[in-house]
Amino acid sequence: MIAIGCDHGGYELKLEIIKHLTERGFEIKDLGCNDTNSCDYPIYAKAVADCVAGGEAELGILVCGTGIGMSMAANKVDGIRAALCADCFSAQATREHNNANVLCLGARTLGPGLALMIVDKFVDTPFSNDERHIRRINMYS
Ligand code: RB5
């Protein structure tokens, strides 16, 4: 399962991501927000991060205006490795090297076409399981 959340700035892009991933056959858990009314992104960052850290979802996706606030908030949750990505190379590398478990996207910095390519790269790339990457990830905390 993939957990997804957004704030008002990311709401429209979140709907596109949900449609895309559902059509691809993924099970999606949408944890809000549910419209474009102004709201506080840390609420949704924590909801998705808790869902991933608790093991209910394998991966999470968070969308706000820039993706920055979502990544800062999500990374406060133990066990979360949230990565803000604006290109496909980073999305692949952060899965392979950092075993990132939450993807953060900026709806105001990305077009929907690129955003969906980044999402695909993130969900389709497995962690490398290389010893050196495991060692480095274990040095995060
Ligand atoms: C909301 O205006 C905006 O601050 C938020 O979407 C995000 O960009 C925060 O990092």
Side-chain angles (χ1 to χ4, degrees):
M1 183 198 292
I2 297 176
I4 191 163
C6 68
D7 73 353
H8 51 287
Y11 179 69
E12 301 292 345
L13 179 56
K14 182 184 75 170
L15 296 184
E16 294 204 42
I17 294 169
I18 291 171
K19 178 172 182 291
H20 177 73
L21 288 178
T22 302
E23 284 171 359
R24 284 199 52 195
F26 287 94
E27 188 186 352
I28 306 296
K29 181 161 186 157
D30 182 1
L31 294 166
C33 68
N34 299 311
D35 54 43
T36 56
N37 293 322
S38 183
C39 63
D40 299 329
Y41 61 82
I43 293 170
Y44 305 99
K46 185 160 182 357
V48 167
D50 284 345
C51 192
V52 174
E56 192 184 342
E58 291 86 51
L59 295 173
I61 299 175
L62 287 165
V63 192
C64 66
T66 59
I68 297 170
M70 285 295 200
S71 64
M72 290 179 171
N75 275 317
K76 293 291 184 187
V77 175
D78 271 357
I80 292 303
R81 294 173 300 280
L84 171 60
C85 294
D87 64 88
C88 293
F89 183 91
S90 297
Q92 179 173 333
T94 199
R95 289 287 305 127
E96 289 175 342
H97 292 210
N98 315 119
N99 198 12
N101 50 15
V102 175
L103 171 67
C104 299
L105 298 169
R108 296 175 183 153
T109 63
L110 296 171
L114 176 57
L116 294 182
M117 289 179 75
I118 292 169
V119 166
D120 281 343
K121 191 60 85 174
F122 189 83
V123 302
D124 289 339
T125 304
F127 178 47
S128 67
N129 259 307
D130 286 349
E131 188 280 331
R132 71 184 191 286
H133 293 313
I134 294 170
R135 182 179 72 245
R136 292 165 186 161
I137 290 166
N138 286 336
M139 294 168 76
Y140 287 178
S141 54

